[in-house]
Structure formats: structure tokens, C-alpha cells
């Protein structure tokens, strides 16, 4: 069985059917009128080998635009170092002439011409023809024992292994071909010669078949066509593995081209697999280096991506903060008085209270620690559900309308904020002299604004923002029963798990009964755990009988009443 080879690519292009596999070398090329694609498909008659062949043909020529773009980017990055990285491949190219001289006396001139004239197209056709002829021979001699049947079976097995090897190795060849097209010719020419020499010499050895499978396993670890990292080290490692693939093919060619007596002698004195095994070991080390480099580049890429992601997150947060600040500013103008600064107002109010109630002879100063140790406060604070605590007491100082317990919600708010709790605080009286009653919608608007400021992301819901903006502008917002403010507050509370609402001098709220009923409803129905503290003097409008009526309207566990006089 032999293969007649054309001397040049030009002649091969003119002759559509020059390949012929038979029991002897043909003196005239086989011509056919079948188009080349149909002939190749017809040749792939063996199902298992056909699948492997189709995979090889698809991978060895990357026609996918994305794959080509990735390969181009691979070599464009750090292009000034490409010549250094490609030195192993260049060495393989320079060693080709020495290899040619060494092998020239062992093979025919036609076979030798493959080193210069072969390309991926020829290699594809060679594989198809070899496989087709092997299958035909095996089928022809199926019913009788014949050496030709054995040869055909071994050829088919060899072709399966060879196609699998080419499928894996061609990916590396394609990477190098994008660095310099001559690298592709060098590899495919050497592989074509290996294929023809192996088939023509009828030496499909089990050891070489096993070697091809091992090589396939090693090369398949690098799926370079799908994804590839670019660095000077990675380029060098791939060039090394590319060179080792060439050297393996040359070792196999030498093995197949040995005379029979030399093969027997060397099999006893110097097993021919030793050189090939050395190449496998070197390729294994090379693939390990590529894997290590890939891990390093993956880690570097991940670090860079994390940095970019963090930068994007910062930019998104800043953009959201600007949007939220703008929307919150619009609502602030409608919910709280112009120029109102809550923190500044609280500092001034706390200073006024301390100056009024500190260092008074025979009267104790307000002590927050004492409040925290009282049983009523502990019960309210540790309650697992919504709960309201009414803190009332008599103020002994008669020269002011302020309440000595008003320091409680202020100091409590600061402590809760330090613990990252959500707190809304409103003081209904901040001067020594009693003013006009405070409208309930004013108190509710202040609480709503503080909750919005605690969670401004809610404002980015355009529909919700539009609804609340329109609701605040309605005249019903300021009506006596304050249905709309309570509805907005109840909806907003559902966005939180727990909220503390602290009201100082609730006795100064206009329509106190309606206001308190609305607060009790929130404590009863809200899905949020709402803890309310209401401070009022015992001699104010929250009379004992009114407090008892409030207790009757709510579960006992959700209402705590505590008295603490300044005595």
C-alpha cells in the first residue's frame, strides 16, 4: 500500500484526484470528476473515525471570527517581545533542514516533498483518503483471513488516534501560525510526512498508537482556540510546546522509517520509545507550565476585574447618592420647614434643657443610666414585637414650661444611633414658653423625612416617588384626621425591620386623641417592629383617664406606662 504524492502545491491544485491508496504505488494519478468536498465526505465512511475527523477539520482551521480576533489580540499584546517568545518555534524552523538531510535517504522524494509542499488542506485530504482506503480494505477482506485485512484494521485504528492527536495539537499550531504563517507550514508538513510514512511503511505499532493517545491527552489540556491569555511567558510556553510537538513528529518519522532489521535490533538494545517518551515528559512539563501561567494570569485578571468592579460600584453609589440627594431635597422642602437642621436644633434644645434642669438645689439632675435600669424601660426595650412606652412625670421647676424628662428621647436617640439603629425623633416644644399646639401632620412629616433620609434608595423607585410627591401636595395631607400622612408612614415602615420613633412633648400635638389613635394603629398593624417612646408631663393633656383608654385599645404587652417625677 502506498501513496503517490505531487511534487508541488500547484500540481496538486490542478489534479483533483492524485491520491490513490492500494497495494502498490500507482504510476498515474487517480482522476475523478467528484468535487473535493463530496470526495472527502464519502471517504469518512467509518462512523467513529468520521466524528474524530470532522472535529479535527473544524478545529484545525479556526473560521470563527471571535477565535481569530482573540488570536490576533494574543500576539498584538506586547508585540515587541514576540521575537524572543517565539525563539523555540524559530529553532524548530531552523532545524528543519538538518532533519530533511537526515531523513532524505530513508523516504522517497515525493514523501520528502511534503515537508515543503504540505498544508492543512493536503493533510485533511491525506487523512480522508487513508481512512477511506483502510476501511475499504477491511470490508473487502472481511470474509477471509488476509494480511491486507490486518493492515486495513491497523490503519483505521492509527487514523483514529492520529486524528485525535491532530485535533488537540492543531490548536497550538494555529496560535503559532498567527505569529508567523511559516510555523503552520512547518507543523502541517511534518505531520503530513508522519502520516504518509506511517501508512506506507505498514508499521502501525501499538506503542506509537498509545503515544498518540497520550499526546492527545496532554495537548487537549490547552483549549487555546476557546480562550487564551496573553503574556510574554505564555507565548514562550506555547512556543516550547509547539516545538516539542514538531520534535515528537520527527522522532516518530525516524522510527517508522527504520529498516526492519534495525527496528528489531534497536527494540532489544535501545527501545525506540525512549526518545518519544522523553518528548512526552517534556510536553507534560510544558503543559504544566502553561497551566501555572494561566493560573497566575487568571488571578491577575480577577484582581483587575475586582478593582474595576469596585470602581464601578463606587461610581454607581456616587451617582445614586446624587440622584437620591436631589429627590430628598425636593421632599425636604415640602416636609420640614425651610432651613431646618435637625442636629443643630437638637443640640440647641439639649443645651436649653441642661441649663434649665442642672445644678438645682435639692433636685436631682436627669440621669439616663437610671432610666435604663428601670423595669418598665427594660420591658419595653427587650420586647420582641412592636411596643409603645408612655413616659410621664411631674417637673418640679415651676419657672419653665419645659419637661425635665425631655432629655430622655434626645440621649436615647444618640445611643441608638451609635448602635446603628433606625431612629426618628421629633420634639414638639423646644422653647421655655408654651406655644400654639403643633399640627399632627407637621410631626408626621418630620418623622417621614427622617425615615426617607435613613433609606433614600426608596426614592429611586420613580413611581413611588411620584406618588408620595403628589400625595404631600394634596390638601388632604393637612386635614384633621391626617389619614394620608399615616398611610405614607405605614407604607414606609414596611421597608424596615425595626424602627425607633421618639416623640417629646406629644401633649403639645393638636388633636391629640386622633393623633394617638393613629400611632396605636401603627403599633398594632405594622410588619415592622416599631418601638415608640412618648414623653409628656403628668399634668398635661395626657390625663390618666385618657391613658387608660389608650391601654384598653391595645394589647397589654404592647403598651408600657411609666411615671418618673422630678423630686
Amino acid at each position: 500500500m502506498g501513496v503517490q504524492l505531487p511534487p508541488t502545491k500547484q500540481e496538486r491544485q490542478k489534479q483533483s484526484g492524485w491520491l490513490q491508496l492500494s497495494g502498490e504505488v500507482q504510476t498515474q494519478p487517480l482522476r475523478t470528476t467528484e468535487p473535493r468536498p463530496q470526495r472527502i465526505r464519502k471517504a469518512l465512511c467509518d462512523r467513529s473515525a468520521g466524528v474524530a475527523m470532522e472535529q479535527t477539520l473544524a478545529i484545525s482551521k479556526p473560521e470563527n471570527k471571535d477565535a481569530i480576533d482573540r488570536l490576533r489580540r494574543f500576539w498584538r499584546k506586547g508585540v515587541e517581545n514576540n521575537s524572543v517568545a517565539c525563539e523555540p518555534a524559530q529553532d524548530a524552523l531552523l532545524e528543519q533542514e538538518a532533519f530533511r538531510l537526515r531523513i532524505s535517504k530513508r523516504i522517497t522524494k515525493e514523501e520528502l516533498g511534503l515537508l515543503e509542499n504540505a498544508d492543512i488542506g493536503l493533510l485533511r485530504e491525506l487523512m480522508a483518503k487513508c481512512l477511506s482506503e483502510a476501511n475499504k480494505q477491511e470490508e473487502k477482506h472481511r470474509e477471509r483471513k488476509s494480511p491486507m485485512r490486518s493492515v486495513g484494521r491497523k490503519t483505521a485504528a492509527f487514523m483514529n488516534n492520529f486524528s485525535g492527536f491532530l485535533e488537540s495539537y492543531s490548536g497550538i499550531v494555529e496560535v503559532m501560525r498567527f505569529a508567523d504563517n511559516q510555523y503552520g507550514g512547518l507543523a502541517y508538513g511534518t505531520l503530513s510526512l508522519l502520516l504518509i510514512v506511517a501508512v506506507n511503511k505498514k508499521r502501525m505499532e501499538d506503542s506509537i498508537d498509545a503515544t498518540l493517545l497520550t499526546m492527545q491527552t496532554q495537548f487537549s489540556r490547552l483549549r487555546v482556540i476557546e480562550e487564551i491569555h496573553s503574556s510574554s511567558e505564555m507565548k514562550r510556553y506555547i512556543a516550547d510546546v509547539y516545538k516539542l510537538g514538531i520534535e515528537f513528529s520527527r522522532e516518530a518519522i525516524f522510527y517508522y522509517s527504520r529498516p526492519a532489521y534495525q527496528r528489531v535490533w534497536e527494540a532489544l538494545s535501545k527501545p525506540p520509545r525512549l526518545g518519544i517518551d522523553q518528548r512526552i515528559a517534556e510536553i507534560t512539563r510544558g503543559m504544566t507550565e502553561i497551566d501555572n501561567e494561566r493560573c497566575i494570569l487568571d488571578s491577575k485578571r480577577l484582581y483587575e476585574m475586582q478593582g474595576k468592579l469596585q470602581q464601578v460600584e463606587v461610581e454607581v453609589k456616587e451617582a445614586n447618592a446624587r440622584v437620591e440627594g436631589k429627590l430628598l431635597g425636593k421632599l425636604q422642602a415640602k416636609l420640614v420647614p425651610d432651613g431646618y437642621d435637625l442636629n443643630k436644633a437638637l443640640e440647641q434644645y439639649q443645651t436649653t434643657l441642661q441649663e434649665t434642669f442642672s445644678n438645682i438645689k435639692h433636685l436631682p439632675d436627669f440621669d439616663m443610666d437610671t432610666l435604663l435600669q428601670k423595669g418598665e424601660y427594660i420591658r419595653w426595650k427587650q420586647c420582641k414585637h412592636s411596643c409603645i412606652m408612655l413616659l410621664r412625670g411631674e417637673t418640679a421647676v415651676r419657672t419653665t414650661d419645659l419637661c425635665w424628662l425631655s432629655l430622655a428621647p434626645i440621649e436615647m436617640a444618640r445611643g441608638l444611633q451609635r448602635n446603628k439603629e433606625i431612629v426618628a425623633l421629633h420634639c414638639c416644644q423646644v422653647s421655655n414658653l408654651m406655644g400654639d399646639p403643633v399640627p399632627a401632620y407637621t410631626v408626621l412629616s418630620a418623622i417621614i423625612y427622617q425615615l426617607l433620609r435613613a433609606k433614600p434608595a426608596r426614592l429611586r423607585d420613580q413611581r413611588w416617588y411620584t406618588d408620595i410627591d403628589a400625595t404631600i401636595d394634596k390638601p388632604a395631607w393637612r386635614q384633621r384626621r391626617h389619614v394620608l400622612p399615616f398611610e405614607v408612614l405605614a407604607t414606609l415602615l414596611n421597608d424596615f425591620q425595626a424602627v425607633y420613633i421618639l416623640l417629646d412633648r406629644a401633649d403639645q400635638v393638636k388633636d391629640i386623641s386622633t393623633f394617638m389613635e393613629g400611632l396605636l394603629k401603627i403599633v398594632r398593624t405594622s410588619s415592622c417592629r416599631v418601638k415608640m417612646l412618648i414623653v409628656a408631663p403628668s399634668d398635661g393633656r395626657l390625663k390618666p383617664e385618657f391613658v387608660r383608654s389608650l391601654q384598653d385599645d391595645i394589647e397589654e404587652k404592647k403598651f408600657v406606662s411609666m411615671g418618673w417625677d422630678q423630686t
Side-chain angles (χ1 to χ4, degrees):
M1 180 173 62
V3 179
Q4 181 178 0
L5 302 175
T8 65
K9 292 182 182 178
Q10 290 76 13
E11 291 186 14
R12 177 167 57 83
Q13 292 171 352
K14 293 179 181 179
Q15 299 176 6
S16 61
W18 56 267
L19 281 171
Q20 173 66 34
L21 289 172
S22 63
E24 60 182 1
V25 178
Q26 301 293 318
T27 57
Q28 297 294 331
L30 174 66
R31 299 186 181 276
T32 177
T33 57
E34 285 187 271
R36 178 174 170 179
Q38 281 79 357
R39 287 189 288 112
I40 293 179
R41 285 193 215 93
K42 185 177 179 181
L44 302 175
C45 56
D46 180 84
R47 177 174 299 179
S48 61
V51 172
M53 183 72 71
E54 289 175 355
Q55 292 175 342
T56 300
L57 302 188
I59 292 180
S60 62
K61 187 176 182 181
E63 298 176 351
N64 183 280
K65 185 177 182 299
D66 292 338
I68 293 175
D69 290 341
R70 285 196 295 270
L71 291 175
R72 287 173 177 168
R73 289 194 300 269
F74 177 79
W75 289 108
R76 285 173 183 169
K77 184 175 181 180
V79 65
E80 65 278 0
N81 297 322
N82 284 349
S83 59
V84 177
C86 289
E87 284 180 356
Q90 189 64 26
D91 290 343
L93 191 64
L94 295 176
E95 293 166 0
Q96 184 75 342
E97 183 60 27
F99 170 72
R100 176 188 175 89
L101 292 174
R102 183 181 177 189
I103 199 66
S104 59
K105 295 181 180 180
R106 299 185 178 185
I107 59 178
T108 67
K109 292 182 179 180
E110 290 82 2
E111 293 170 341
L112 191 61
L114 287 173
L115 292 177
E116 297 177 355
N117 297 324
D119 58 12
I120 186 60
L122 174 61
L123 183 54
R124 292 173 180 174
E125 193 165 349
L126 284 175
M127 292 177 65
K129 281 292 184 180
C130 291
L131 182 60
S132 176
E133 186 63 21
N135 287 330
K136 288 179 181 179
Q137 290 177 358
E138 187 173 3
E139 181 68 25
K140 181 178 178 179
H141 301 283
R142 186 179 299 277
E143 301 300 328
R144 67 178 186 274
K145 292 184 178 181
S146 169
M148 294 302 297
R149 181 187 177 192
S150 175
V151 170
R153 184 167 55 250
K154 287 186 176 182
T155 302
F158 173 83
M159 290 302 304
N160 280 325
N161 293 337
F162 185 86
S163 63
F165 161 69
L166 177 61
E167 175 187 349
S168 300
Y169 181 59
S170 61
I172 295 176
V173 175
E174 290 303 316
V175 175
M176 297 306 303
R177 188 172 68 84
F178 270 81
D180 191 324
N181 195 55
Q182 63 182 339
Y183 295 148
L186 171 63
Y188 292 131
T190 306
L191 292 174
S192 298
L193 180 59
L194 169 60
L195 173 64
I196 293 303
V197 170
V199 172
N200 284 353
K201 299 299 182 181
K202 308 182 184 67
R203 294 172 187 166
M204 279 54 73
E205 303 285 352
D206 293 339
S207 61
I208 298 296
D209 288 349
T211 300
L212 289 172
L213 289 174
T214 304
M215 299 285 284
Q216 175 185 350
T217 301
Q218 291 299 324
F219 284 127
S220 64
R221 292 166 60 191
L222 179 63
R223 305 178 66 179
V224 292
I225 297 301
E226 294 185 9
E227 181 60 35
I228 187 169
H229 298 293
S230 182
S231 72
S232 57
E233 292 80 5
M234 181 65 81
K235 293 175 182 177
R236 177 79 184 200
Y237 294 144
I238 291 178
D240 281 336
V241 172
Y242 165 85
K243 178 185 179 182
L244 292 170
I246 298 293
E247 292 177 346
F248 155 75
S249 299
R250 290 171 178 169
E251 292 279 357
I253 290 171
F254 283 132
Y255 173 76
Y256 281 126
S257 62
R258 287 183 177 89
Y261 71 88
Q262 186 176 355
R263 291 175 58 247
V264 173
W265 171 253
E266 290 187 355
L268 297 174
S269 61
K270 179 185 177 182
R273 278 185 53 88
L274 288 180
I276 296 176
D277 286 343
Q278 181 180 355
R279 294 291 177 263
I280 292 178
E282 292 172 348
I283 288 174
T284 301
R285 288 194 295 270
M287 297 307 301
T288 301
E289 292 294 339
I290 289 176
D291 283 342
N292 293 339
E293 180 67 12
R294 173 183 285 175
C295 290
I296 293 173
L297 294 175
D298 280 342
S299 298
K300 181 180 178 182
R301 178 178 294 183
L302 179 60
Y303 177 77
E304 292 173 350
M305 290 179 62
Q306 288 176 338
K308 292 179 180 178
L309 180 60
Q310 291 175 355
Q311 180 63 29
V312 170
E313 290 177 348
V314 170
E315 293 175 356
V316 170
K317 287 181 180 179
E318 291 176 350
N320 288 339
R322 288 192 295 270
V323 173
E324 294 164 0
K326 182 178 179 180
L327 297 176
L328 186 61
K330 292 180 179 180
L331 294 181
Q332 179 183 6
K334 299 179 180 183
L335 293 172
V336 297
D338 293 340
Y340 178 74
D341 187 329
L342 177 61
N343 292 329
K344 185 177 180 180
L346 287 178
E347 289 178 1
Q348 293 176 349
Y349 185 41
Q350 185 177 18
T351 299
T352 300
L353 291 172
Q354 290 173 341
E355 291 175 349
T356 303
F357 297 110
S358 298
N359 301 320
I360 299 178
K361 191 175 182 179
H362 305 304
L363 291 177
D365 295 339
F366 176 80
D367 182 20
M368 188 65 190
D369 291 337
T370 302
L371 176 61
L372 298 180
Q373 295 173 8
K374 290 186 175 293
E376 295 88 342
Y377 173 83
I378 294 174
R379 174 186 160 196
W380 171 78
K381 187 68 170 60
Q382 295 180 351
C383 185
K384 301 298 183 182
H385 42 72
S386 296
C387 186
I388 185 169
M389 183 170 79
L390 179 59
L391 178 59
R392 297 190 307 150
E394 181 180 351
T395 301
V397 179
R398 301 300 182 180
T399 58
T400 181
D401 289 331
L402 297 175
C403 178
W404 86 292
L405 294 175
S406 294
L407 283 168
I410 297 176
E411 295 190 17
M412 188 182 298
R414 299 195 190 283
L416 292 171
Q417 289 171 343
R418 284 193 294 269
N419 294 331
K420 308 300 181 182
E421 301 284 359
I422 305 299
V423 181
L425 167 64
H426 186 75
C427 301
C428 300
Q429 179 182 343
V430 294
S431 63
N432 281 318
L433 299 177
M434 186 81 68
D436 295 331
V438 180
Y441 75 83
T442 300
V443 179
L444 296 174
S445 296
I447 294 173
I448 290 171
Y449 169 71
Q450 292 177 66
L451 294 180
L452 288 173
R453 192 173 64 175
K455 196 169 186 178
R458 191 72 162 89
L459 300 174
R460 296 204 305 273
D461 184 338
Q462 186 62 40
R463 178 178 296 180
W464 189 88
Y465 173 81
T466 301
D467 289 344
I468 189 175
D469 186 50
T471 301
I472 294 172
D473 289 336
K474 292 180 180 179
W477 185 264
R478 294 167 174 79
Q479 287 183 353
R480 180 175 176 272
R481 298 196 63 82
H482 315 297
V483 175
L484 292 182
F486 274 115
E487 288 180 351
V488 172
L489 177 59
T491 301
L492 193 57
L493 285 171
N494 291 332
D495 292 338
F496 298 90
Q497 291 185 346
V499 170
Y500 288 85
I501 297 178
L502 312 180
L503 297 178
D504 176 51
R505 297 303 300 271
D507 59 300
Q508 295 298 307
V509 177
K510 190 176 182 180
D511 299 321
I512 184 64
S513 59
T514 303
F515 178 70
M516 292 300 297
E517 289 173 2
L519 294 181
L520 291 178
K521 182 178 179 181
I522 286 179
V523 172
R524 286 196 304 265
T525 61
S526 180
S527 60
C528 171
R529 189 171 73 251
V530 182
K531 296 292 187 69
M532 286 190 185
L533 172 66
I534 298 177
V535 176
S538 57
D539 56 353
R541 289 190 294 163
L542 291 180
K543 303 296 184 182
E545 58 274 13
F546 180 65
V547 173
R548 285 193 294 270
S549 67
L550 294 177
Q551 290 176 306
D552 293 339
D553 292 337
I554 195 171
E555 300 176 54
E556 181 179 356
K557 63 181 181 180
K558 293 187 175 183
F559 190 94
V560 177
S561 180
M562 174 182 171
W564 189 10
D565 296 333
Q566 185 188 25
T567 55

